[in-house]
């Protein structure tokens, strides 16, 4: 018996400058990255990094934004769904305006360098390739739940002596995804539908409600620890119509509502409360391979992103936001208040 081991230098592609990785839904499902989010892409793509998401406890909103992704230190990634931008217009155009349900994409494509002729953006581009219904009825369901009873902590006597009386706790984390697809008319008309219920509530270490709310003084109410709350509801649907042998039309919509109570280094009454409604995505795409050498594609979409920021329930209109300069701790009221805040994106594309 003989064994031959050989090695060779990788072939350099002299025809294409684009660096692209494909992340299939099967790959993400078998990896221990918790719930499927954009942050998972950063965990498994070389050169790409993102916020750590342990079992979904970091919150649905934060983990589904490409704003958390950096490539060799460069931020402001772009997110696309079926080749069309879905970021809203905030934060240099990289802030989440629509959160992709993990059941709707067939796979993710990540471009990290170079720009192809088909791309309308430079830098890091995450493109979600959507699922479509087929001639066989298929469905899926996944779910998870956890709470602080399944979590340990490191609150030692030494930390208590230094003034820390509470630690971060995942009070609850839940996620339920369901999808169903199949034919309306075989070989001609198909449907695909998906729904999502997800959320988390996390206690914040050393943060408490203000027992003297409405006064210039902050007093810890240690019977009421501060928390971060995040919940999302979404319902998506796609209809695919084979108009003719050489023409296909897709119509897709995903309507969502999302409420986020941010958890920063601030008293609960000074946290930002996001109420994303209405929020969602509407798209239509058409493609026609007329000949073996001529392909026509067109699409149009709207990312609806409204994010008013009302005051927390404890805050009166007369309460003024106060910043303790020695610790940079804010209390009594938040600074980013008001509404409506609309940041919709409308996009069209055509290629030949």
């Amino acid at each position: 018996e003989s064994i031959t081991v050989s090695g060779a230098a990788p072939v350099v592609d002299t025809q294409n400058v684009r660096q692209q990785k494909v992340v299939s839904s099967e790959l993400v499902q078998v990896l221990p990255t918790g719930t499927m989010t954009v942050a998972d892409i950063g965990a498994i793509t070389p050169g790409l990094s993102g916020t750590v998401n342990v079992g979904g406890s970091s919150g649905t909103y934060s983990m589904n934004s490409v704003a958390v992704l950096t490539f060799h230190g460069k931020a402001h990634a772009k997110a696309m769904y079926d080749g069309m931008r879905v970021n809203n217009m905030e934060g240099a155009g990289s802030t989440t305006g629509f959160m992709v349900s993990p059941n709707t994409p067939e796979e993710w494509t990540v471009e990290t360098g170079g720009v192809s002729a088909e791309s309308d953006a430079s830098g890091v581009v995450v493109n979600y390739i959507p699922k479509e219904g087929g001639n066989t009825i298929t469905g899926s369901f996944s779910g998870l739940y956890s709470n602080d009873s399944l979590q340990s902590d490191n609150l030692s006597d030494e930390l208590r002596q230094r003034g820390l009386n509470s630690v971060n706790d995942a009070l609850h984390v839940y996620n339920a995804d369901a999808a169903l697809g199949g034919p309306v008319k075989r070989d001609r008309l198909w449907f695909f539908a998906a729904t999502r219920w997800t959320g988390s509530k996390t206690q914040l270490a050393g943060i408490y409600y203000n027992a003297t709310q409405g006064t210039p003084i902050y007093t810890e109410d240690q019977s009421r620890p501060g928390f971060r709350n995040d919940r999302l509801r979404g319902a998506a649907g796609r209809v695919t119509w084979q108009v003719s042998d050489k023409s296909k039309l897709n119509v897709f919509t995903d309507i969502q509502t999302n409420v986020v109570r941010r958890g920063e280094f601030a008293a609960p009454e000074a946290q930002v409360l996001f109420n994303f409604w209405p929020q969602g995505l509407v798209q239509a795409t058409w493609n026609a391979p007329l000949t073996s050498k001529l392909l026509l594609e067109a699409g149009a979409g709207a990312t609806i992103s409204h994010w008013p920021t009302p005051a927390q329930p404890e805050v009166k209109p007369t309460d003024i936001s106060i910043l303790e300069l020695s610790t940079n701790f804010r209390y009594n009221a938040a600074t980013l208040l008001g509404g409506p805040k609309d940041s919709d994106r409308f996009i069209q594309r055509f290629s030949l």
Side-chain angles (χ1 to χ4, degrees), residues 57-58 164-171 201-209 218 220 222 224-229 261-272 312 329:
S57 61
S58 295
L164 185 65
N165 296 314
S166 64
V167 295
N168 289 345
D169 268 335
L171 301 178
K201 186 176 181 180
T202 308
Q203 178 178 298
L204 304 173
I207 302 296
Y208 299 94
Y209 275 84
Y218 172 74
E220 291 185 355
Q222 296 196 2
R224 296 194 299 161
F227 61 88
R228 174 194 175 98
N229 203 9
R261 181 171 183 153
R262 294 289 291 269
E264 314 293 350
F265 184 61
E269 72 273 8
Q271 310 286 6
V272 177
Q312 298 287 356
F329 184 79

Side-chain angles (χ1 to χ4, degrees), residues 105-130:
E106 182 68 33
E107 61 185 22
W108 299 330
T109 302
V110 184
E111 292 185 28
T112 58
V115 181
S116 69
E118 295 85 1
S119 178
D120 67 351
S122 61
V124 179
V125 179
V126 180
N127 185 27
Y128 301 89
I129 293 96

Side-chain angles (χ1 to χ4, degrees), residues 196-217:
R196 187 180 199 197
W197 290 64
T198 185
S200 64
K201 186 176 181 180
T202 308
Q203 178 178 298
L204 304 173
I207 302 296
Y208 299 94
Y209 275 84
N210 189 358
T212 52
Q213 170 65 28
T215 72
I217 301 171

Side-chain angles (χ1 to χ4, degrees), residues 8-324:
V11 178
V12 177
D13 187 351
T14 60
Q15 304 297 319
N16 188 6
V17 299
R18 181 174 55 171
Q19 298 293 322
Q20 180 174 289
K21 309 294 181 185
V22 177
V23 184
S24 66
S25 58
E26 291 82 2
L27 174 61
V28 175
Q29 286 171 359
V30 300
L31 288 176
T33 50
T35 56
M36 283 195 293
T37 64
V38 176
D40 297 332
I41 298 176
I44 61 180
T45 303
L48 205 63
S49 61
T51 303
V52 176
N53 182 33
V54 181
S57 61
S58 295
T60 304
Y61 177 75
S62 297
M63 294 302 97
N64 279 279
S65 172
V66 290
V68 305
L69 297 179
T70 59
F71 183 68
H72 296 309
K74 184 179 185 298
H76 304 308
K78 290 87 177 173
M80 297 187 180
Y81 194 89
D82 205 4
M84 291 180 278
R85 286 281 293 275
V86 295
N87 307 103
N88 65 18
M89 306 302 290
E90 307 297 329
S94 66
T95 306
T96 296
F98 162 70
M99 279 167 283
V100 178
S101 172
N103 264 334
T104 59
E106 182 68 33
E107 61 185 22
W108 299 330
T109 302
V110 184
E111 292 185 28
T112 58
V115 181
S116 69
E118 295 85 1
S119 178
D120 67 351
S122 61
V124 179
V125 179
V126 180
N127 185 27
Y128 301 89
I129 293 96
K131 290 179 181 177
E132 297 179 358
N135 282 331
T136 303
I137 294 180
T138 58
S140 65
F141 174 80
S142 64
L144 65 86
Y145 179 81
S146 182
N147 58 25
D148 54 342
S149 299
L150 302 174
Q151 181 184 11
S152 62
D153 67 66
N154 62 344
L155 186 58
S156 62
D157 292 337
E158 180 184 356
L159 291 176
R160 289 189 179 93
Q161 291 173 2
R162 297 174 63 181
L164 185 65
N165 296 314
S166 64
V167 295
N168 289 345
D169 268 335
L171 301 178
H172 65 246
V173 178
Y174 65 90
N175 187 83
D177 293 291
L180 182 68
V184 177
K185 184 177 181 181
R186 291 180 61 86
D187 300 323
R188 183 63 66 180
L189 187 65
W190 305 272
F191 78 93
F192 177 80
T195 185
R196 187 180 199 197
W197 290 64
T198 185
S200 64
K201 186 176 181 180
T202 308
Q203 178 178 298
L204 304 173
I207 302 296
Y208 299 94
Y209 275 84
N210 189 358
T212 52
Q213 170 65 28
T215 72
I217 301 171
Y218 172 74
T219 307
E220 291 185 355
D221 183 353
Q222 296 196 2
S223 65
R224 296 194 299 161
F227 61 88
R228 174 194 175 98
N229 203 9
D230 189 337
R231 63 181 185 271
L232 171 70
R233 309 287 182 266
R238 172 179 289 269
V239 175
T240 304
W241 178 25
Q242 190 71 43
V243 182
S244 65
D245 291 342
K246 294 184 177 180
S247 179
K248 186 168 72 171
L249 178 67
N250 276 290
V251 178
F252 173 80
T253 184
D254 190 348
I255 306 302
Q256 302 176 344
T257 177
N258 185 28
V259 179
V260 180
R261 181 171 183 153
R262 294 289 291 269
E264 314 293 350
F265 184 61
E269 72 273 8
Q271 310 286 6
V272 177
L273 179 62
F274 291 118
N275 185 14
F276 296 91
W277 174 257
Q279 177 173 290
L281 177 67
V282 180
Q283 281 187 346
T285 58
W286 169 78
N287 64 76
L290 300 181
T291 70
S292 60
K293 295 184 178 180
L294 182 62
L295 169 67
L296 300 179
E297 289 185 323
T303 302
I304 308 302
S305 179
H306 295 191
W307 52 286
T309 52
Q312 298 287 356
E314 304 82 16
V315 178
K316 300 185 178 98
T318 54
D319 291 346
I320 298 173
S321 181
I322 300 173
L323 181 66
E324 171 55 60

